Amino acid sequence: MALTAKGDMFFGLPRYPDYDQTPSLAKRDPDGKPSPFPGDAWNDWKPGDDGADSFVYVNSIHIFKDDTVWAVDQGALRADSYPPALSEPRKGAQKLVQLDADTGEILRVLRFDERVLPKGAKMNDLRVFGDHVYVTDSGLGALIYHNLKTGVTLRRMSGFPQMQAKVDPSTQQGNHQTPKIDMIEISDDGTWLYAAAPTGPFIKIKTASLRDSSITDEDLAKEVEELAAIARSGGCALDTRGNLYLSELDNKRVTMLSPTGKTAVLTSDDEFISPDGSFISVDRKLYIPVTQSRRTRLFGNKTDMVKRPWKIYVVEMPESFAGIELGGSLNGSSRP
């Protein structure tokens, strides 16, 4: 989920098993109900469609400084739950879509060829800083860079150990396959990219090096720094002081990781079932969507065990907590 500076709330709704009859992108109405956004053919995909100009499987959404909505569409349903006819994206179906948050106008659609998105690649999440777009590929494990002004696109460190998940077979549940590198953040000044698979560790690398095509992947990998080991996490957020907020899956909590290495549990709840990517609003509130994905059949349950309604928890962010100074939002036009 993500919010504009004025508080309009948007939801990305992935098509899980039992939940494939859903709009992929929605906006919260004044009465609190979600409505398909932009409300036309973009949310009318059905099996058999090519998915070129409709949302197939929106894995993540985000809103940045310019208050537009970005959606990451993997272009196909989950390979761990659907046959190849539905789980392998057709040409042009996997894409990044930028929309006007007020009108729903499609501002930009970015599609990449097989050099950037080889078979098995799955764009997972993105961050936009000025003209620079950074994307994680959680299917094969890679970082993708695209320049909005020049059109230059680079695929970096594809398949390298730093891009992989550390999977413990004993923790696997049902058909669910642990994504490779997926969480991503960009520092407030645009200098550093932070990223991790759900199993960690969190790594960081200078964005300038990532963008420099003269640096080989082998040399780029040598510049990757390990920021911290983490508990299994479904998503993260970053504030202007460089604090990471990790939505921990097994511990049902949000843990802060400060740039100094100090950690603190900001909030926890027994109903934090599969907390995912959180979002810091411009009025300094941390929104924590609870997806309950572990209660679906995807994770080996014989029946769907999701409890309705779905909930988003909101935490008022203090100026400091447990000796850690907290920052503000990286997103929206009214950043503090």
Side-chain angles (χ1 to χ4, degrees):
M1 59 142 295
L3 295 99
T4 63
K6 64 181 181 180
D8 289 340
M9 183 180 291
F10 293 83
F11 311 96
L13 305 171
R15 289 188 165 101
Y16 275 18
D18 297 327
Y19 296 95
D20 45 16
Q21 301 299 313
T22 178
S24 292
L25 181 61
K27 184 176 183 179
R28 186 175 185 266
D29 291 336
D31 63 2
K33 295 180 180 180
S35 290
F37 186 84
D40 54 18
W42 278 91
N43 272 294
D44 288 342
W45 178 87
K46 59 184 182 299
D49 294 348
D50 61 19
D53 296 309
S54 59
F55 293 124
V56 183
Y57 187 98
V58 171
N59 192 71
S60 59
I61 65 168
H62 211 79
I63 292 173
F64 302 98
K65 291 183 185 180
D66 65 0
D67 252 4
T68 62
V69 181
W70 283 83
V72 180
D73 184 6
Q74 293 186 344
L77 303 185
R78 299 181 65 97
D80 51 21
S81 304
Y82 292 90
L86 293 175
S87 62
E88 294 181 1
R90 300 190 184 188
K91 186 175 181 180
Q94 189 165 191
K95 54 196 175 287
L96 307 177
V97 183
Q98 182 188 23
L99 306 94
D100 185 292
D102 293 322
T103 66
E105 177 188 355
I106 303 298
L107 303 176
R108 183 184 277 115
V109 179
L110 298 177
R111 312 177 202 269
F112 304 117
D113 61 23
E114 61 278 1
R115 177 183 60 87
V116 177
L117 292 177
K119 184 176 181 179
K122 292 183 180 180
M123 292 191 292
N124 187 288
D125 204 353
L126 87 168
R127 292 297 180 264
V128 179
F129 190 95
D131 290 322
H132 307 300
V133 180
Y134 305 91
V135 185
T136 49
D137 167 12
S138 62
L140 300 175
L143 292 170
I144 297 167
Y145 166 70
H146 176 76
N147 189 303
L148 292 172
K149 183 176 292 184
T150 66
V152 168
T153 308
L154 303 174
R155 181 178 177 85
R156 308 306 314 258
M157 295 184 288
S158 182
F160 276 52
Q162 295 90 336
M163 303 290 103
Q164 307 301 303
K166 297 179 179 180
V167 179
D168 179 354
S170 68
T171 65
Q172 292 292 101
Q173 292 179 267
N175 294 327
H176 179 263
Q177 297 297 312
T178 300
K180 296 177 173 62
I181 194 163
D182 70 350
M183 292 180 281
I184 182 172
E185 296 289 350
I186 301 294
S187 63
D188 189 34
D189 60 3
T191 300
W192 291 96
L193 180 146
Y194 306 97
T199 54
F202 241 97
I203 62 170
K204 70 174 186 176
I205 187 169
K206 287 188 175 180
T207 55
S209 296
L210 193 70
R211 300 192 302 262
D212 188 347
S213 60
S214 70
I215 300 177
T216 66
D217 281 351
E218 288 73 18
D219 287 337
L220 185 64
K222 296 174 184 176
E223 295 190 30
V224 173
E225 300 178 34
E226 184 170 320
L227 185 64
I230 62 170
R232 254 196 326 177
S233 300
C236 65
L238 182 74
D239 71 19
T240 52
R241 289 184 179 271
N243 299 303
L244 277 165
Y245 300 77
L246 303 171
S247 300
E248 295 184 3
L249 295 169
D250 302 317
N251 300 321
K252 301 179 181 179
R253 67 190 187 187
V254 174
T255 294
M256 293 190 304
L257 172 62
S258 76
T260 65
K262 185 173 184 178
T263 64
V265 176
L266 178 66
T267 184
S268 63
D269 194 281
D270 284 342
E271 281 303 303
F272 279 9
I273 306 298
S274 308
D276 210 312
S278 50
F279 189 90
I280 301 173
S281 62
V282 297
D283 57 352
R284 301 187 74 253
K285 295 177 182 177
L286 179 69
Y287 288 74
I288 309 160
V290 176
T291 68
Q292 301 188 67
S293 59
R294 284 192 178 185
R295 287 176 170 161
T296 68
R297 289 192 301 118
L298 174 63
F299 281 80
N301 301 302
K302 292 183 179 179
T303 60
D304 182 68
M305 300 172 66
V306 168
K307 296 180 181 178
R308 292 172 173 77
W310 283 271
K311 296 178 181 178
I312 297 172
Y313 289 75
V314 185
V315 178
E316 298 269 1
M317 294 172 58
E319 293 299 321
S320 65
F321 184 85
I324 300 173
E325 298 296 315
L326 275 58
S329 174
L330 297 174
N331 314 298
S333 57
S334 302
R335 283 171 58 178

